[in-house]
Amino acid sequence: GAGVSQSPSNKVTEKGKDVELRCDPISGHTALYWYRQSLGQGLEFLIYFQGNSAPDKSGLPSDRFSAERTGGSVSTLTIQRTQQEDSAVYLCASSLYPRGRGETQYFGPGTRLLVL
Amino acid sequence: GENVEQHPSTLSVQEGDSAVIKCTYSDSASNYFPWYKQELGKGPQLIIDIRSNVGEKKDQRIAVTLNKTAKHFSLHITETQPEDSAVYFCAASTAGGSQGNLIFGKGTKLSVKP
C-alpha cells in the first residue's frame, strides 16, 4: 500500500514569505507527527495529532509555525514570515495507534525547505 | 526530559567488517528504543526496535542490545555491505505514558567501503 507522502519535495522561498507543507499519512493511521531535521542534527519534534484530540504543539519553535489536520487525515504545516534559520528538512510521520504504545512511526520522504 | 546521546557521529568500515553504534539515554522510565536508517534524500525507516523487557534482539545481520542499568543501547551490524551506507538514528520513548514522544539521537553516518 501507499506510504506517507509529502509535498512539495523541495521548496525555495524568500525570507518573509509564508510556506505551506503538506502531509498525507498512511490510510487508517490515527497518529500524525511533524519533525524538523536541520543539517547534521537529529529529528526535532514539532507537533502531534491524534484523532480528534487537541494537538500537542509543545515542539513548535515559535508562533510563526502552525499546523492543522483536516478530517483526521491530511495535515498542513504552515510557516509564516519565513526566516533563514527555518531552512531544514520537514518530516511527517504517521502511526496506527497513539503515541505512548511503542508504535512504529512511518516517515515520509520530507520537504526540503530553503529560505533565501 | 529525555536526552539521547549517540556515538560516533561518523563511522567508516570496510565491507564485511562489523559496525557498532552506541546510544545513551537519561530517563530511566524510557522503555522503547527503535533504530532508524535514513538513506540520502529519503525519510527514516525503522530497521529494528527493542523494549525494556528484552536485553537483545536480532534480525539477520542486525542486532540491538539494551543495558537498562547503564541506560545505554547499541546497534550491531555484521558483515556490512555497501548498501548499509546511510545515517542511522537511535531513539527512546516512554511507551505507556500520555507523552511517549520519540527523542532522537543526532545520527551516525555509516560509510561501508567496498
Side-chain angles (χ1 to χ4, degrees):
Chain A
V4 177
S5 61
Q6 292 186 245
S7 61
S9 55
N10 293 280
K11 177 71 176 179
V12 180
T13 190
E14 294 179 349
K15 177 181 173 181
K17 301 278 189 179
D18 297 351
V19 295
E20 284 190 353
L21 312 179
R22 177 187 168 104
C23 172
D24 282 90
I26 294 173
S27 178
H29 278 197
T30 63
L32 187 147
Y33 307 76
W34 282 98
Y35 293 90
R36 179 168 68 178
Q37 184 176 29
S38 301
L39 189 63
Q41 299 295 311
L43 281 69
E44 175 190 5
F45 166 77
L46 297 178
I47 189 169
Y48 164 75
F49 293 92
Q50 172 56 41
N52 295 320
S53 301
D56 174 4
K57 304 179 181 180
S58 61
L60 295 179
S62 77
D63 58 9
R64 296 186 296 105
F65 288 73
S66 62
E68 62 178 19
R69 188 179 185 191
T70 54
S73 182
V74 172
S75 177
T76 302
L77 177 68
T78 301
I79 308 174
Q80 296 179 311
R81 305 180 302 280
T82 52
Q83 304 294 313
Q84 289 181 332
E85 58 263 30
D86 298 335
S87 297
V89 177
Y90 289 83
L91 290 160
C92 174
S94 69
S95 63
L96 183 59
Y97 294 117
R99 68 182 177 185
R101 295 177 56 171
E103 281 293 314
T104 299
Q105 294 185 26
Y106 297 86
F107 284 83
T111 293
R112 284 147 192 81
L113 174 66
L114 177 61
V115 182
L116 300 177
Chain B
E2 175 65 280
N3 182 52
V4 176
E5 299 284 339
Q6 183 171 348
H7 299 280
S9 56
T10 61
L11 179 60
S12 182
V13 300
Q14 286 296 130
E15 182 177 1
D17 288 350
S18 295
V20 180
I21 302 170
K22 299 181 179 181
C23 289
T24 60
Y25 61 98
S26 60
D27 188 349
S28 58
S30 290
N31 54 10
Y32 175 62
F33 308 92
W35 285 88
Y36 283 83
K37 175 183 181 182
Q38 186 175 26
E39 297 177 332
L40 195 62
K42 298 183 179 180
Q45 287 194 324
L46 180 74
I47 55 171
I48 195 168
D49 57 15
I50 192 168
R51 299 173 195 273
S52 60
N53 58 345
V54 176
E56 183 176 5
K57 184 177 179 180
K58 290 183 179 180
D59 182 2
Q60 300 181 345
R61 297 186 296 108
I62 293 173
V64 57
T65 58
L66 171 64
N67 183 327
K68 285 198 67 181
T69 302
K71 291 191 283 189
H72 67 70
F73 56 113
S74 301
L75 178 71
H76 303 252
I77 306 174
T78 59
E79 300 173 21
T80 53
Q81 301 168 3
E83 51 265 37
D84 293 331
S85 296
V87 178
Y88 291 81
F89 291 96
C90 62
S93 78
T94 308
S98 61
Q99 295 298 313
N101 277 339
L102 280 179
I103 306 300
F104 287 84
K106 292 189 175 182
T108 296
K109 183 177 181 180
L110 174 64
S111 300
V112 180
K113 299 181 178 181

